[in-house]
PDB file of all heavy atoms in Angstrom:
ATOM      1  N   ARG A  24     102.064  95.809  89.830  1.00  0.00           N
ATOM      2  CA  ARG A  24     101.835  94.367  89.906  1.00  0.00           C
ATOM      3  C   ARG A  24     102.793  93.726  90.910  1.00  0.00           C
ATOM      4  O   ARG A  24     102.376  92.921  91.756  1.00  0.00           O
ATOM      5  CB  ARG A  24     102.006  93.723  88.532  1.00  0.00           C
ATOM      6  CG  ARG A  24     100.996  94.211  87.499  1.00  0.00           C
ATOM      7  CD  ARG A  24     101.229  93.623  86.110  1.00  0.00           C
ATOM      8  NE  ARG A  24     100.730  92.255  86.004  1.00  0.00           N
ATOM      9  CZ  ARG A  24     101.479  91.201  85.829  1.00  0.00           C
ATOM     10  NH1 ARG A  24     102.803  91.321  85.754  1.00  0.00           N
ATOM     11  NH2 ARG A  24     100.951  90.001  85.722  1.00  0.00           N
ATOM     12  N   GLY A  25     104.077  94.073  90.823  1.00  0.00           N
ATOM     13  CA  GLY A  25     105.049  93.521  91.754  1.00  0.00           C
ATOM     14  C   GLY A  25     104.796  93.976  93.177  1.00  0.00           C
ATOM     15  O   GLY A  25     104.914  93.202  94.130  1.00  0.00           O
ATOM     16  N   LEU A  26     104.427  95.249  93.326  1.00  0.00           N
ATOM     17  CA  LEU A  26     104.180  95.798  94.654  1.00  0.00           C
ATOM     18  C   LEU A  26     102.913  95.205  95.263  1.00  0.00           C
ATOM     19  O   LEU A  26     102.881  94.885  96.463  1.00  0.00           O
ATOM     20  CB  LEU A  26     104.062  97.320  94.560  1.00  0.00           C
ATOM     21  CG  LEU A  26     104.152  98.104  95.865  1.00  0.00           C
ATOM     22  CD1 LEU A  26     105.455  97.811  96.584  1.00  0.00           C
ATOM     23  CD2 LEU A  26     104.024  99.606  95.580  1.00  0.00           C
ATOM     24  N   LEU A  27     101.886  95.040  94.465  1.00  0.00           N
ATOM     25  CA  LEU A  27     100.636  94.449  94.947  1.00  0.00           C
ATOM     26  C   LEU A  27     100.859  93.010  95.401  1.00  0.00           C
ATOM     27  O   LEU A  27     100.420  92.600  96.492  1.00  0.00           O
ATOM     28  CB  LEU A  27      99.586  94.501  93.832  1.00  0.00           C
ATOM     29  CG  LEU A  27      98.227  93.861  94.117  1.00  0.00           C
ATOM     30  CD1 LEU A  27      97.528  94.561  95.265  1.00  0.00           C
ATOM     31  CD2 LEU A  27      97.353  93.882  92.857  1.00  0.00           C
ATOM     32  N   ALA A  28     101.539  92.226  94.574  1.00  0.00           N
ATOM     33  CA  ALA A  28     101.808  90.830  94.934  1.00  0.00           C
ATOM     34  C   ALA A  28     102.731  90.746  96.138  1.00  0.00           C
ATOM     35  O   ALA A  28     102.492  89.962  97.068  1.00  0.00           O
ATOM     36  CB  ALA A  28     102.423  90.093  93.745  1.00  0.00           C
ATOM     37  N   GLY A  29     103.783  91.573  96.152  1.00  0.00           N
ATOM     38  CA  GLY A  29     104.775  91.497  97.217  1.00  0.00           C
ATOM     39  C   GLY A  29     104.239  91.868  98.580  1.00  0.00           C
ATOM     40  O   GLY A  29     104.548  91.214  99.578  1.00  0.00           O
ATOM     41  N   THR A  30     103.418  92.912  98.655  1.00  0.00           N
ATOM     42  CA  THR A  30     102.906  93.333  99.966  1.00  0.00           C
ATOM     43  C   THR A  30     101.839  92.375 100.488  1.00  0.00           C
ATOM     44  O   THR A  30     101.697  92.209 101.707  1.00  0.00           O
ATOM     45  CB  THR A  30     102.342  94.761  99.906  1.00  0.00           C
ATOM     46  OG1 THR A  30     101.408  94.875  98.823  1.00  0.00           O
ATOM     47  CG2 THR A  30     103.449  95.774  99.721  1.00  0.00           C
ATOM     48  N   ASN A  31     101.095  91.727  99.584  1.00  0.00           N
ATOM     49  CA  ASN A  31     100.130  90.726 100.057  1.00  0.00           C
ATOM     50  C   ASN A  31     100.831  89.457 100.517  1.00  0.00           C
ATOM     51  O   ASN A  31     100.509  88.902 101.567  1.00  0.00           O
ATOM     52  CB  ASN A  31      99.118  90.421  98.952  1.00  0.00           C
ATOM     53  CG  ASN A  31      97.980  91.416  98.916  1.00  0.00           C
ATOM     54  OD1 ASN A  31      97.132  91.441  99.792  1.00  0.00           O
ATOM     55  ND2 ASN A  31      97.968  92.269  97.906  1.00  0.00           N
ATOM     56  N   ILE A  32     101.799  89.002  99.735  1.00  0.00           N
ATOM     57  CA  ILE A  32     102.579  87.831 100.153  1.00  0.00           C
ATOM     58  C   ILE A  32     103.381  88.157 101.402  1.00  0.00           C
ATOM     59  O   ILE A  32     103.551  87.322 102.291  1.00  0.00           O
ATOM     60  CB  ILE A  32     103.515  87.393  99.007  1.00  0.00           C
ATOM     61  CG1 ILE A  32     102.693  86.859  97.837  1.00  0.00           C
ATOM     62  CG2 ILE A  32     104.505  86.325  99.482  1.00  0.00           C
ATOM     63  CD1 ILE A  32     103.508  86.607  96.577  1.00  0.00           C
ATOM     64  N   GLY A  33     103.860  89.404 101.498  1.00  0.00           N
ATOM     65  CA  GLY A  33     104.666  89.824 102.638  1.00  0.00           C
ATOM     66  C   GLY A  33     103.923  89.858 103.957  1.00  0.00           C
ATOM     67  O   GLY A  33     104.526  90.012 105.010  1.00  0.00           O
ATOM     68  N   GLY A  34     102.588  89.698 103.932  1.00  0.00           N
ATOM     69  CA  GLY A  34     101.840  89.590 105.180  1.00  0.00           C
ATOM     70  C   GLY A  34     102.125  88.295 105.919  1.00  0.00           C
ATOM     71  O   GLY A  34     101.814  88.159 107.104  1.00  0.00           O
ATOM     72  N   LEU A  35     102.710  87.320 105.208  1.00  0.00           N
ATOM     73  CA  LEU A  35     103.181  86.087 105.842  1.00  0.00           C
ATOM     74  C   LEU A  35     104.585  86.316 106.379  1.00  0.00           C
ATOM     75  O   LEU A  35     105.249  87.271 106.005  1.00  0.00           O
ATOM     76  CB  LEU A  35     103.180  84.952 104.821  1.00  0.00           C
ATOM     77  CG  LEU A  35     101.852  84.637 104.143  1.00  0.00           C
ATOM     78  CD1 LEU A  35     102.072  83.697 102.959  1.00  0.00           C
ATOM     79  CD2 LEU A  35     100.868  84.035 105.132  1.00  0.00           C
ATOM     80  N   GLY A  36     105.055  85.403 107.228  1.00  0.00           N
ATOM     81  CA  GLY A  36     106.426  85.517 107.728  1.00  0.00           C
ATOM     82  C   GLY A  36     106.451  85.875 109.199  1.00  0.00           C
ATOM     83  O   GLY A  36     105.954  85.121 110.042  1.00  0.00           O
ATOM     84  N   THR A  37     107.002  87.031 109.525  1.00  0.00           N
ATOM     85  CA  THR A  37     107.154  87.419 110.915  1.00  0.00           C
ATOM     86  C   THR A  37     105.811  87.795 111.542  1.00  0.00           C
ATOM     87  O   THR A  37     104.825  88.049 110.848  1.00  0.00           O
ATOM     88  CB  THR A  37     108.107  88.619 111.058  1.00  0.00           C
ATOM     89  OG1 THR A  37     107.509  89.766 110.430  1.00  0.00           O
ATOM     90  CG2 THR A  37     109.447  88.319 110.414  1.00  0.00           C
ATOM     91  N   LEU A  38     105.805  87.888 112.850  1.00  0.00           N
ATOM     92  CA  LEU A  38     104.590  88.227 113.582  1.00  0.00           C
ATOM     93  C   LEU A  38     104.125  89.644 113.277  1.00  0.00           C
ATOM     94  O   LEU A  38     102.935  89.946 113.382  1.00  0.00           O
ATOM     95  CB  LEU A  38     104.825  88.068 115.085  1.00  0.00           C
ATOM     96  CG  LEU A  38     103.596  88.059 115.993  1.00  0.00           C
ATOM     97  CD1 LEU A  38     102.657  86.921 115.633  1.00  0.00           C
ATOM     98  CD2 LEU A  38     104.017  87.948 117.452  1.00  0.00           C
ATOM     99  N   ILE A  39     105.060  90.526 112.891  1.00  0.00           N
ATOM    100  CA  ILE A  39     104.686  91.910 112.624  1.00  0.00           C
ATOM    101  C   ILE A  39     104.515  92.196 111.131  1.00  0.00           C
ATOM    102  O   ILE A  39     104.281  93.329 110.739  1.00  0.00           O
ATOM    103  CB  ILE A  39     105.727  92.897 113.206  1.00  0.00           C
ATOM    104  CG1 ILE A  39     107.092  92.701 112.536  1.00  0.00           C
ATOM    105  CG2 ILE A  39     105.825  92.760 114.699  1.00  0.00           C
ATOM    106  CD1 ILE A  39     108.109  93.760 112.921  1.00  0.00           C
ATOM    107  N   ALA A  40     104.624  91.174 110.289  1.00  0.00           N
ATOM    108  CA  ALA A  40     104.482  91.384 108.848  1.00  0.00           C
ATOM    109  C   ALA A  40     103.072  91.848 108.492  1.00  0.00           C
ATOM    110  O   ALA A  40     102.867  92.545 107.509  1.00  0.00           O
ATOM    111  CB  ALA A  40     104.816  90.108 108.089  1.00  0.00           C
ATOM    112  N   SER A  41     102.092  91.467 109.296  1.00  0.00           N
ATOM    113  CA  SER A  41     100.709  91.907 109.122  1.00  0.00           C
ATOM    114  C   SER A  41     100.153  92.247 110.499  1.00  0.00           C
ATOM    115  O   SER A  41     100.314  91.481 111.451  1.00  0.00           O
ATOM    116  CB  SER A  41      99.864  90.805 108.471  1.00  0.00           C
ATOM    117  OG  SER A  41      98.494  91.111 108.555  1.00  0.00           O
ATOM    118  N   MET A  42      99.482  93.389 110.606  1.00  0.00           N
ATOM    119  CA  MET A  42      98.875  93.768 111.874  1.00  0.00           C
ATOM    120  C   MET A  42      97.806  92.770 112.298  1.00  0.00           C
ATOM    121  O   MET A  42      97.546  92.579 113.486  1.00  0.00           O
ATOM    122  CB  MET A  42      98.270  95.168 111.765  1.00  0.00           C
ATOM    123  CG  MET A  42      99.282  96.289 111.632  1.00  0.00           C
ATOM    124  SD  MET A  42     100.396  96.434 113.070  1.00  0.00           S
ATOM    125  CE  MET A  42     101.898  95.688 112.422  1.00  0.00           C
ATOM    126  N   ALA A  43      97.187  92.107 111.335  1.00  0.00           N
ATOM    127  CA  ALA A  43      96.183  91.096 111.652  1.00  0.00           C
ATOM    128  C   ALA A  43      96.805  89.939 112.447  1.00  0.00           C
ATOM    129  O   ALA A  43      96.167  89.369 113.332  1.00  0.00           O
ATOM    130  CB  ALA A  43      95.537  90.567 110.375  1.00  0.00           C
ATOM    131  N   SER A  44      98.045  89.609 112.141  1.00  0.00           N
ATOM    132  CA  SER A  44      98.731  88.532 112.862  1.00  0.00           C
ATOM    133  C   SER A  44      98.947  88.906 114.324  1.00  0.00           C
ATOM    134  O   SER A  44      98.855  88.062 115.222  1.00  0.00           O
ATOM    135  CB  SER A  44     100.079  88.226 112.197  1.00  0.00           C
ATOM    136  OG  SER A  44      99.895  87.786 110.878  1.00  0.00           O
ATOM    137  N   LEU A  45      99.229  90.160 114.575  1.00  0.00           N
ATOM    138  CA  LEU A  45      99.385  90.628 115.952  1.00  0.00           C
ATOM    139  C   LEU A  45      98.068  90.546 116.711  1.00  0.00           C
ATOM    140  O   LEU A  45      98.045  90.242 117.904  1.00  0.00           O
ATOM    141  CB  LEU A  45      99.907  92.066 115.967  1.00  0.00           C
ATOM    142  CG  LEU A  45     101.400  92.246 115.702  1.00  0.00           C
ATOM    143  CD1 LEU A  45     101.738  93.738 115.640  1.00  0.00           C
ATOM    144  CD2 LEU A  45     102.244  91.565 116.772  1.00  0.00           C
ATOM    145  N   ILE A  46      96.974  90.814 116.020  1.00  0.00           N
ATOM    146  CA  ILE A  46      95.658  90.720 116.652  1.00  0.00           C
ATOM    147  C   ILE A  46      95.402  89.296 117.118  1.00  0.00           C
ATOM    148  O   ILE A  46      94.966  89.054 118.249  1.00  0.00           O
ATOM    149  CB  ILE A  46      94.565  91.186 115.671  1.00  0.00           C
ATOM    150  CG1 ILE A  46      94.657  92.694 115.455  1.00  0.00           C
ATOM    151  CG2 ILE A  46      93.174  90.798 116.178  1.00  0.00           C
ATOM    152  CD1 ILE A  46      93.722  93.225 114.394  1.00  0.00           C
ATOM    153  N   SER A  47      95.679  88.327 116.252  1.00  0.00           N
ATOM    154  CA  SER A  47      95.499  86.917 116.621  1.00  0.00           C
ATOM    155  C   SER A  47      96.352  86.548 117.825  1.00  0.00           C
ATOM    156  O   SER A  47      95.894  85.871 118.752  1.00  0.00           O
ATOM    157  CB  SER A  47      95.865  86.007 115.445  1.00  0.00           C
ATOM    158  OG  SER A  47      94.946  86.118 114.412  1.00  0.00           O
ATOM    159  N   PHE A  48      97.603  86.992 117.794  1.00  0.00           N
ATOM    160  CA  PHE A  48      98.514  86.660 118.894  1.00  0.00           C
ATOM    161  C   PHE A  48      98.016  87.244 120.206  1.00  0.00           C
ATOM    162  O   PHE A  48      98.023  86.566 121.245  1.00  0.00           O
ATOM    163  CB  PHE A  48      99.915  87.175 118.579  1.00  0.00           C
ATOM    164  CG  PHE A  48     100.886  86.980 119.715  1.00  0.00           C
ATOM    165  CD1 PHE A  48     101.345  85.709 120.038  1.00  0.00           C
ATOM    166  CD2 PHE A  48     101.327  88.050 120.466  1.00  0.00           C
ATOM    167  CE1 PHE A  48     102.227  85.514 121.087  1.00  0.00           C
ATOM    168  CE2 PHE A  48     102.210  87.878 121.518  1.00  0.00           C
ATOM    169  CZ  PHE A  48     102.659  86.600 121.830  1.00  0.00           C
ATOM    170  N   ARG A  49      97.568  88.486 120.195  1.00  0.00           N
ATOM    171  CA  ARG A  49      97.076  89.118 121.417  1.00  0.00           C
ATOM    172  C   ARG A  49      95.848  88.404 121.955  1.00  0.00           C
ATOM    173  O   ARG A  49      95.711  88.184 123.162  1.00  0.00           O
ATOM    174  CB  ARG A  49      96.757  90.587 121.151  1.00  0.00           C
ATOM    175  CG  ARG A  49      97.989  91.463 120.959  1.00  0.00           C
ATOM    176  CD  ARG A  49      97.590  92.854 120.510  1.00  0.00           C
ATOM    177  NE  ARG A  49      98.744  93.717 120.311  1.00  0.00           N
ATOM    178  CZ  ARG A  49      98.689  94.914 119.756  1.00  0.00           C
ATOM    179  NH1 ARG A  49      97.524  95.390 119.332  1.00  0.00           N
ATOM    180  NH2 ARG A  49      99.784  95.642 119.607  1.00  0.00           N
ATOM    181  N   LEU A  50      94.934  88.038 121.061  1.00  0.00           N
ATOM    182  CA  LEU A  50      93.732  87.332 121.491  1.00  0.00           C
ATOM    183  C   LEU A  50      94.077  85.972 122.095  1.00  0.00           C
ATOM    184  O   LEU A  50      93.512  85.574 123.126  1.00  0.00           O
ATOM    185  CB  LEU A  50      92.778  87.153 120.300  1.00  0.00           C
ATOM    186  CG  LEU A  50      92.119  88.431 119.768  1.00  0.00           C
ATOM    187  CD1 LEU A  50      91.384  88.135 118.458  1.00  0.00           C
ATOM    188  CD2 LEU A  50      91.158  89.015 120.793  1.00  0.00           C
ATOM    189  N   TYR A  51      95.006  85.265 121.458  1.00  0.00           N
ATOM    190  CA  TYR A  51      95.402  83.962 121.995  1.00  0.00           C
ATOM    191  C   TYR A  51      96.144  84.125 123.317  1.00  0.00           C
ATOM    192  O   TYR A  51      95.877  83.389 124.279  1.00  0.00           O
ATOM    193  CB  TYR A  51      96.290  83.216 121.006  1.00  0.00           C
ATOM    194  CG  TYR A  51      96.949  82.017 121.642  1.00  0.00           C
ATOM    195  CD1 TYR A  51      96.237  80.846 121.861  1.00  0.00           C
ATOM    196  CD2 TYR A  51      98.278  82.072 122.086  1.00  0.00           C
ATOM    197  CE1 TYR A  51      96.817  79.747 122.495  1.00  0.00           C
ATOM    198  CE2 TYR A  51      98.869  80.988 122.722  1.00  0.00           C
ATOM    199  CZ  TYR A  51      98.135  79.829 122.924  1.00  0.00           C
ATOM    200  OH  TYR A  51      98.718  78.760 123.566  1.00  0.00           O
ATOM    201  N   ALA A  52      97.073  85.077 123.382  1.00  0.00           N
ATOM    202  CA  ALA A  52      97.909  85.249 124.571  1.00  0.00           C
ATOM    203  C   ALA A  52      97.092  85.578 125.817  1.00  0.00           C
ATOM    204  O   ALA A  52      97.517  85.291 126.942  1.00  0.00           O
ATOM    205  CB  ALA A  52      98.952  86.341 124.326  1.00  0.00           C
ATOM    206  N   ARG A  53      95.920  86.175 125.632  1.00  0.00           N
ATOM    207  CA  ARG A  53      95.067  86.532 126.766  1.00  0.00           C
ATOM    208  C   ARG A  53      94.164  85.390 127.201  1.00  0.00           C
ATOM    209  O   ARG A  53      93.450  85.509 128.197  1.00  0.00           O
ATOM    210  CB  ARG A  53      94.199  87.744 126.399  1.00  0.00           C
ATOM    211  CG  ARG A  53      95.004  89.024 126.198  1.00  0.00           C
ATOM    212  CD  ARG A  53      94.119  90.127 125.640  1.00  0.00           C
ATOM    213  NE  ARG A  53      94.894  91.326 125.336  1.00  0.00           N
ATOM    214  CZ  ARG A  53      94.421  92.353 124.638  1.00  0.00           C
ATOM    215  NH1 ARG A  53      93.180  92.321 124.173  1.00  0.00           N
ATOM    216  NH2 ARG A  53      95.170  93.404 124.417  1.00  0.00           N
ATOM    217  N   SER A  54      94.170  84.292 126.466  1.00  0.00           N
ATOM    218  CA  SER A  54      93.292  83.169 126.792  1.00  0.00           C
ATOM    219  C   SER A  54      93.876  82.346 127.936  1.00  0.00           C
ATOM    220  O   SER A  54      95.081  82.372 128.209  1.00  0.00           O
ATOM    221  CB  SER A  54      93.087  82.276 125.565  1.00  0.00           C
ATOM    222  OG  SER A  54      94.303  81.660 125.177  1.00  0.00           O
ATOM    223  N   GLU A  55      93.008  81.600 128.605  1.00  0.00           N
ATOM    224  CA  GLU A  55      93.429  80.786 129.742  1.00  0.00           C
ATOM    225  C   GLU A  55      94.368  79.665 129.291  1.00  0.00           C
ATOM    226  O   GLU A  55      94.097  78.956 128.333  1.00  0.00           O
ATOM    227  CB  GLU A  55      92.192  80.184 130.419  1.00  0.00           C
ATOM    228  CG  GLU A  55      92.508  79.393 131.672  1.00  0.00           C
ATOM    229  CD  GLU A  55      91.257  78.855 132.343  1.00  0.00           C
ATOM    230  OE1 GLU A  55      90.150  79.195 131.870  1.00  0.00           O
ATOM    231  OE2 GLU A  55      91.388  78.101 133.319  1.00  0.00           O
ATOM    232  N   GLY A  56      95.503  79.536 129.992  1.00  0.00           N
ATOM    233  CA  GLY A  56      96.465  78.479 129.697  1.00  0.00           C
ATOM    234  C   GLY A  56      97.310  78.708 128.464  1.00  0.00           C
ATOM    235  O   GLY A  56      97.954  77.781 127.965  1.00  0.00           O
ATOM    236  N   ALA A  57      97.315  79.936 127.954  1.00  0.00           N
ATOM    237  CA  ALA A  57      98.052  80.239 126.719  1.00  0.00           C
ATOM    238  C   ALA A  57      99.542  79.951 126.864  1.00  0.00           C
ATOM    239  O   ALA A  57     100.149  80.219 127.896  1.00  0.00           O
ATOM    240  CB  ALA A  57      97.847  81.701 126.349  1.00  0.00           C
ATOM    241  N   LYS A  58     100.150  79.398 125.809  1.00  0.00           N
ATOM    242  CA  LYS A  58     101.583  79.129 125.740  1.00  0.00           C
ATOM    243  C   LYS A  58     102.164  79.991 124.621  1.00  0.00           C
ATOM    244  O   LYS A  58     102.266  79.571 123.459  1.00  0.00           O
ATOM    245  CB  LYS A  58     101.834  77.646 125.441  1.00  0.00           C
ATOM    246  CG  LYS A  58     101.180  76.692 126.424  1.00  0.00           C
ATOM    247  CD  LYS A  58     101.846  76.736 127.792  1.00  0.00           C
ATOM    248  CE  LYS A  58     101.247  75.680 128.710  1.00  0.00           C
ATOM    249  NZ  LYS A  58     101.842  75.726 130.077  1.00  0.00           N
ATOM    250  N   ALA A  59     102.521  81.222 124.973  1.00  0.00           N
ATOM    251  CA  ALA A  59     102.953  82.187 123.966  1.00  0.00           C
ATOM    252  C   ALA A  59     104.178  81.719 123.192  1.00  0.00           C
ATOM    253  O   ALA A  59     104.282  81.929 121.983  1.00  0.00           O
ATOM    254  CB  ALA A  59     103.237  83.534 124.632  1.00  0.00           C
ATOM    255  N   GLY A  60     105.114  81.079 123.885  1.00  0.00           N
ATOM    256  CA  GLY A  60     106.325  80.598 123.226  1.00  0.00           C
ATOM    257  C   GLY A  60     106.019  79.528 122.185  1.00  0.00           C
ATOM    258  O   GLY A  60     106.560  79.551 121.073  1.00  0.00           O
ATOM    259  N   ARG A  61     105.154  78.591 122.540  1.00  0.00           N
ATOM    260  CA  ARG A  61     104.771  77.537 121.599  1.00  0.00           C
ATOM    261  C   ARG A  61     104.007  78.124 120.411  1.00  0.00           C
ATOM    262  O   ARG A  61     104.177  77.681 119.265  1.00  0.00           O
ATOM    263  CB  ARG A  61     103.922  76.482 122.311  1.00  0.00           C
ATOM    264  CG  ARG A  61     104.707  75.602 123.287  1.00  0.00           C
ATOM    265  CD  ARG A  61     103.814  74.666 124.049  1.00  0.00           C
ATOM    266  NE  ARG A  61     103.073  73.752 123.157  1.00  0.00           N
ATOM    267  CZ  ARG A  61     102.207  72.847 123.600  1.00  0.00           C
ATOM    268  NH1 ARG A  61     101.988  72.724 124.912  1.00  0.00           N
ATOM    269  NH2 ARG A  61     101.581  72.064 122.752  1.00  0.00           N
ATOM    270  N   TYR A  62     103.166  79.100 120.692  1.00  0.00           N
ATOM    271  CA  TYR A  62     102.421  79.753 119.610  1.00  0.00           C
ATOM    272  C   TYR A  62     103.384  80.437 118.640  1.00  0.00           C
ATOM    273  O   TYR A  62     103.254  80.288 117.422  1.00  0.00           O
ATOM    274  CB  TYR A  62     101.446  80.778 120.180  1.00  0.00           C
ATOM    275  CG  TYR A  62     100.646  81.501 119.114  1.00  0.00           C
ATOM    276  CD1 TYR A  62      99.390  81.045 118.741  1.00  0.00           C
ATOM    277  CD2 TYR A  62     101.149  82.624 118.461  1.00  0.00           C
ATOM    278  CE1 TYR A  62      98.655  81.681 117.749  1.00  0.00           C
ATOM    279  CE2 TYR A  62     100.438  83.269 117.466  1.00  0.00           C
ATOM    280  CZ  TYR A  62      99.180  82.793 117.118  1.00  0.00           C
ATOM    281  OH  TYR A  62      98.476  83.434 116.128  1.00  0.00           O
ATOM    282  N   PHE A  63     104.350  81.176 119.199  1.00  0.00           N
ATOM    283  CA  PHE A  63     105.301  81.898 118.353  1.00  0.00           C
ATOM    284  C   PHE A  63     106.094  80.927 117.478  1.00  0.00           C
ATOM    285  O   PHE A  63     106.327  81.197 116.293  1.00  0.00           O
ATOM    286  CB  PHE A  63     106.249  82.717 119.223  1.00  0.00           C
ATOM    287  CG  PHE A  63     107.271  83.491 118.435  1.00  0.00           C
ATOM    288  CD1 PHE A  63     106.927  84.654 117.775  1.00  0.00           C
ATOM    289  CD2 PHE A  63     108.588  83.044 118.350  1.00  0.00           C
ATOM    290  CE1 PHE A  63     107.862  85.360 117.034  1.00  0.00           C
ATOM    291  CE2 PHE A  63     109.524  83.745 117.612  1.00  0.00           C
ATOM    292  CZ  PHE A  63     109.161  84.915 116.951  1.00  0.00           C
ATOM    293  N   ALA A  64     106.512  79.798 118.049  1.00  0.00           N
ATOM    294  CA  ALA A  64     107.283  78.813 117.282  1.00  0.00           C
ATOM    295  C   ALA A  64     106.439  78.227 116.147  1.00  0.00           C
ATOM    296  O   ALA A  64     106.900  78.128 115.003  1.00  0.00           O
ATOM    297  CB  ALA A  64     107.772  77.702 118.208  1.00  0.00           C
TER     298      ALA A  64
END
């Protein structure tokens, strides 16, 4: 129970906490006019 809750909640936080978050960042970063620094903040 603790591990299930913790790893799902742990997908929030840093950019690498969930691989899905990295996917979003890569897709955005490749778009025209992307501001990677502002996105990261």
Side-chain angles (χ1 to χ4, degrees):
R24 297 177 78 246
L26 195 57
L27 177 62
T30 51
N31 276 289
I32 293 171
L35 302 168
T37 66
L38 194 60
I39 63 172
S41 168
M42 291 298 103
S44 298
L45 282 175
I46 290 174
S47 291
F48 175 71
R49 288 172 180 171
L50 291 171
Y51 168 77
R53 293 172 185 168
S54 65
E55 184 178 355
K58 304 290 185 182
R61 288 175 60 181
Y62 180 94
F63 180 77

